[in-house]
Amino acid sequence: MSEELHDHDRGLSFDLPTLQRRKMIRLLAGVGLVPLVGCSGDDADSSGSASSSSGPSASSSSSAASSGSAECETIPGETAGPYPGDGSNGVNVLKESGVVRKDITSSFGTASGKAEGVPLTVTLTVVDAASGCGTPKEGAAVYLWHCDRDGNYSLYSEGVTEENYLRGVQETDAKGQVTFTSIFPACYTGRWPHIHFEVYGSLEDATNATSITATSQLALPKDVCDTVYASDGYDRSVQNMSQLSLETDNIFSDGYDQQLATTKGSVEKGYTATLTVPV
């Protein structure tokens, strides 16, 4: 992979407006002007997995859920990065027939590639923040995408520009949930392991690439990443991961409690990652 492709999210100069906005919100909260009450990230049922491991924020998320708070904070807005595939930076995969799907491991249409790696099932639960995270957003839509085992993004990275795997759209059900079957993404130079997603008001909005409700990123917990990256095929991620932390990542360094997925499973049987997304 070329050096140019290592900087997948353009660094601080690209993300600074978003980071400054989030820090200002937290500053106002410190003087009592903005309520900041987090929502639980552990909402979907992940029973039946082999061995289990959850992110370090799992206990705090459970505490927030049990507090019965009537308020919650919307998911932090983040950059979509330079490789969104939503028409905002070149190619638009959202208008292609076949993008609405659960299994995103393979390319669709005229492409035939498949992303190899440790299986990962991602479930996002979209809820109404104004209701205190208590009301599911049925009929919304989520576009989800991430890099492959080598840190490459389909449609953009050298060698996979003709592929469109690890990208897909789904409509939320009565529980506000969407579930994607994928593979565990790599840790590439300069970024903590993450998954991008956009929330739309409806499936029609998503497939027309209009009216985005929220753009954010899901973070994966360190213990699970370390275990996955010790398995075959993730050699490049080991060194990259050793140079990073959630606290120093240029996206998650200003707070990641709402974005750290609850992750369970094993390398042999695959993992599940769940996150509640208030909008």
Side-chain angles (χ1 to χ4, degrees):
M1 185 169 60
S2 66
E3 184 65 28
E4 179 183 356
L5 296 174
H6 287 170
D7 187 13
H8 288 283
D9 290 277
R10 296 184 179 177
L12 288 173
S13 62
F14 183 81
D15 300 320
L16 191 57
T18 296
L19 298 177
Q20 288 177 331
R21 181 172 67 255
R22 289 178 58 190
K23 289 175 180 176
M24 181 59 68
I25 290 174
R26 284 167 171 77
L27 177 62
L28 292 174
V31 294
L33 298 180
V34 178
L36 291 178
V37 182
C39 296
S40 170
D42 188 5
D43 195 63
D45 182 8
S46 299
S47 60
S49 57
S51 61
S52 66
S53 178
S54 58
S57 70
S59 59
S60 61
S61 295
S62 298
S63 298
S66 62
S67 68
S69 172
E71 298 179 282
C72 72
E73 186 183 5
T74 57
I75 194 75
E78 307 290 9
T79 174
Y83 308 124
D86 61 0
S88 61
N89 186 23
V91 64
N92 189 344
V93 75
L94 296 177
K95 294 186 177 182
E96 295 185 15
S97 175
V99 72
V100 180
R101 61 204 186 124
K102 177 178 180 178
D103 189 338
I104 62 174
T105 55
S106 299
S107 292
F108 60 91
T110 58
S112 59
K114 182 176 181 178
E116 301 293 341
V118 172
L120 176 67
T121 300
V122 182
T123 297
L124 302 183
T125 303
V126 183
V127 297
D128 179 22
S131 72
C133 291
T135 304
K137 298 283 283 187
E138 181 180 6
V142 176
Y143 168 42
L144 181 144
W145 74 99
H146 61 81
C147 71
D148 63 19
R149 186 169 61 180
D150 295 318
N152 295 320
Y153 282 85
S154 67
L155 303 175
Y156 295 92
S157 298
E158 183 179 359
V160 293
T161 55
E162 300 302 315
E163 302 295 346
N164 51 31
Y165 55 56
L166 306 182
R167 299 177 184 273
V169 175
Q170 282 198 74
E171 184 177 28
T172 57
D173 61 16
K175 296 180 180 180
Q177 292 184 341
V178 292
T179 298
F180 294 90
T181 301
S182 190
I183 58 101
F184 208 94
C187 175
Y188 54 76
T189 304
R191 277 307 317 277
W192 187 263
H194 63 282
I195 293 174
H196 294 269
F197 62 90
E198 292 173 345
V199 180
Y200 291 80
S202 68
L203 187 61
E204 182 179 4
D205 285 345
T207 53
N208 284 299
T210 59
S211 303
I212 298 175
T213 302
T215 302
S216 194
Q217 297 180 25
L218 173 155
L220 292 162
K222 183 181 188 305
D223 59 341
V224 176
C225 290
D226 286 340
T227 300
V228 171
Y229 296 156
S231 65
D232 293 341
Y234 287 91
D235 298 353
R236 299 181 186 180
S237 295
V238 175
Q239 181 177 1
N240 293 333
M241 188 78 178
S242 69
Q243 301 171 349
L244 295 167
S245 71
L246 278 162
E247 289 73 22
T248 60
D249 180 73
N250 64 16
I251 294 297
F252 300 124
S253 59
D254 63 339
Y256 53 84
D257 287 350
Q258 281 189 276
Q259 295 161 281
L260 187 63
T262 297
T263 308
K264 301 178 180 181
S266 67
V267 169
E268 294 75 21
K269 294 188 176 182
Y271 287 89
T272 61
T274 62
L275 186 72
T276 296
V277 181
V279 297

